[in-house]
Amino acid sequence: MVFQNYALWPHMTVFDNVAYGLKIRRRRLGLSKVDVERRVREVLELVGLSGMEGRYPHQLSGGQQQRVALARALAVEPRVLLLDEPLSSLDAKLRIRMRSELKRIQREAGITMIYVTHDQEEAMSLADRIAVMNAGKILQIGTPEENYRKPRNLFVAIFLGRTSAITGKYIEMEGRYAKISLGDQILVGAPIEKLSQEEEAVAVIRPEDLEVWMKRITGTY
């Protein structure tokens, strides 16, 4: 597990922090001192921290501390790695850079990662599959594209991406599309569930789905 606050031992060097889990399991796994050292150097190279083995956590930047925590978790070669909002303590620019690094490390290590985050952009850019949760319940599981384009309920539709939500009344179906009355206007869209006549409905509109048409009006005033 990689914790939100990294949880590095402040009195240990980078090497000792990463080697900690291996030393605990050393006898059970039949590892020699040389095996431990080799594995630590392998994962430090993977996370881009080669040459920093002798530094202490207070001598590292936030991004480097995050990589040490990741290396420590990867060193024991787990089948699944759980990351609890690992980038939330970093500044905005570093978070974006570390996203790319995490994706690279995940692919090179070939390990399954379960990544907990409140950042929608982070989830959409990193995940192969996203589970959207609310109040402890999983509302939808799917690829980023599926969850974004085919939300199963209003919470998922509004939670992922930028949206405008407009409340109106359902009139009827027109082919595969639902007609919704918004005062004097009629909106046509794809429904995500069955609606009843005159039932209140919410139209969720995403900015990239809008087109603006401009017409020149000529005449005298």
Side-chain angles (χ1 to χ4, degrees):
M1 180 170 179
V2 178
F3 298 92
Q4 185 173 351
N5 62 354
Y6 314 138
L8 300 178
W9 298 105
H11 63 290
M12 291 184 182
T13 62
V14 167
F15 182 94
D16 290 330
N17 264 287
V18 176
Y20 184 78
L22 290 169
K23 290 177 179 178
I24 296 290
R25 296 166 172 79
R26 188 173 152 187
R27 287 185 180 178
R28 180 159 55 87
L29 298 176
L31 298 173
S32 66
K33 187 177 179 181
V34 173
D35 292 330
V36 172
E37 289 181 0
R38 184 180 67 251
R39 180 58 183 161
V40 170
R41 296 190 192 286
E42 284 175 355
V43 292
L44 285 177
E45 184 178 352
L46 179 66
V47 299
L49 291 178
S50 295
M52 296 189 179
E53 294 87 348
R55 296 192 186 183
Y56 288 87
H58 72 272
Q59 296 174 309
L60 304 173
S61 67
Q64 289 170 336
Q65 289 183 42
Q66 194 267 345
R67 292 179 193 217
V68 174
L70 184 59
R72 179 179 58 187
L74 289 170
V76 296
E77 300 183 70
R79 287 180 296 173
V80 178
L81 186 62
L82 174 63
L83 298 99
D84 181 17
E85 299 192 70
L87 306 184
S88 61
S89 300
L90 306 179
D91 64 59
K93 288 185 179 179
L94 187 54
R95 275 204 306 272
I96 294 172
R97 191 160 75 243
M98 285 307 302
R99 272 187 223 156
S100 300
E101 282 297 296
L102 280 173
K103 203 161 192 174
R104 175 188 65 80
I105 291 166
Q106 187 274 329
R107 286 175 177 172
E108 290 185 18
I111 187 173
T112 297
M113 289 185 176
I114 299 175
Y115 191 106
V116 180
T117 180
H118 288 88
D119 189 319
Q120 307 159 27
E121 190 177 331
E122 208 166 87
M124 296 290 282
S125 63
L126 280 173
D128 297 311
R129 291 176 65 77
I130 295 176
V132 181
M133 299 183 69
N134 184 35
K137 294 182 179 180
I138 295 176
L139 302 182
Q140 184 168 346
I141 300 176
T143 66
E145 180 74 14
E146 288 169 349
N147 288 0
Y148 186 76
R149 289 295 176 191
K150 298 178 180 178
R152 292 181 184 169
N153 55 56
L154 185 59
F155 180 88
V156 175
I158 293 176
F159 184 73
L160 292 177
R162 296 178 179 177
T163 60
S164 292
I166 305 172
T167 302
K169 285 189 177 181
Y170 168 69
I171 303 173
E172 62 182 355
M173 292 296 296
E174 190 175 274
R176 293 185 298 112
Y177 297 98
K179 294 173 72 175
I180 298 173
S181 170
L182 306 173
D184 296 333
Q185 304 297 318
I186 299 295
L187 190 66
V188 178
I192 60 175
E193 58 186 53
K194 191 174 181 180
L195 299 168
S196 302
Q197 194 83 22
E198 293 295 309
E199 183 180 4
E200 188 175 83
V202 178
V204 177
I205 303 168
R206 300 199 185 277
E208 67 270 20
D209 294 330
L210 291 178
E211 291 184 5
V212 178
W213 293 80
M214 298 184 71
K215 184 178 180 181
R216 178 176 293 175
I217 299 175
T218 61
T220 57
Y221 296 90

